[in-house]
Amino acid sequence: PTMTSVSATNPRLHQVRMAVSQMTSPTGSTGLPSIHARQRSAQSGSILLLCVLASLLVGLLALIAGRDVSVLALYVVPVAVAAWFGSLASGTATAIVAAVIWFFAQVLLPDNPVPGSTEAWNALMRAVVFIFIALTTGLLQSVITYQRRSATTDPVTGLENRAGLIERTAALVTACRHAGRPITIASVDIRALRDINAAYGQQRGDVVVTLTARALWQVARAEDIVARLDGDQFAIVLPGAGESEARRLADELHTRLSDISHQAGCSVSHTIAVLHAEQPPLLGDELIHAVEAAVRALRDNPAGPGISRFPTAA
């Protein structure tokens, strides 16, 4: 995989393309599961159910109100909500369900002067309109989300970037301090990534970056934050992880990263530093800067992962 190139002459088109990609794919640009897509898909099912129930309620209101009262806008609302807060699939499904409900609501009304074939055609046209609304709403939501997330997301791996990690870690550190929970952060540095790019090309370097990101993702828990801090440096923040969990993480990272040379087809080595704090610091970026300093101290040491305590920990 290579970094997505952005056209300088048409950035808006690039944003729309990326938004469409986010709408239709549950993974990042490298095939890694997108954290934000995973979180969104988890709630799509419940949103779809609520919007279908809302459409049923609108159909019931249509039966009660009769033919003289239009309920078009009431059918549109669940479709738009499902596409905006759920997913493209949720919006499309709600659009079809709303059209079917409207069809039966019309058919069940007494003294229906419209032939059944005409009602079926009308229902088909409503479904087309509803699906168009779902597509438009979903695309707009994805463009806005892409613009908001692009500032805090690494374009190659789909992970958080430095800004995203600092932003999210600040909230985690505060929560851990208030709850009296420890926090662990691990940093992984790809040694001599520039040499790999020079010897094998940028594409091979991106493969190494992707494999490293995947290894970190595989050892992370659901509540952890995985980020790419820099071109060759990654981090995992583990809220509530004690010292034993920190050691397990270091060992598992060491094992998984040692296989990357075989997968990438070139010699790859990593520096791993794990920092554990029983009492988290006041600021999240203090923890990040401390583990980066630990990586710099270990870069010339070919030994296994190093584990240390945050300087202010009790």
Side-chain angles (χ1 to χ4, degrees), residues 202-263:
Q202 180 70 41
Q203 185 173 5
R204 184 70 62 87
D206 284 347
V207 169
V208 172
V209 167
T210 301
L211 292 172
T212 301
R214 188 180 299 277
L216 269 71
W217 181 272
Q218 289 172 340
V219 303
R221 305 167 304 176
E223 66 270 28
D224 298 340
I225 306 174
V226 186
R228 186 184 184 191
L229 295 177
D230 205 344
D232 57 1
Q233 192 170 5
F234 298 79
I236 309 178
V237 178
L238 300 90
E243 190 165 359
S244 61
E245 183 71 13
R247 295 189 180 279
R248 180 205 63 80
L249 171 73
D251 293 339
E252 190 169 352
L253 271 175
H254 185 68
T255 300
R256 290 187 180 274
L257 293 173
S258 62
D259 294 335
I260 289 182
S261 293
H262 174 71
Q263 299 173 45

Side-chain angles (χ1 to χ4, degrees), residues 141-164:
Q141 196 275 345
S142 295
V143 168
I144 294 174
T145 299
Y146 170 74
Q147 290 178 326
R148 185 173 63 247
R149 294 302 307 174
S150 60
T152 57
T153 303
D154 175 61
V156 176
T157 62
L159 302 176
E160 303 280 354
N161 61 14
R162 177 183 291 273

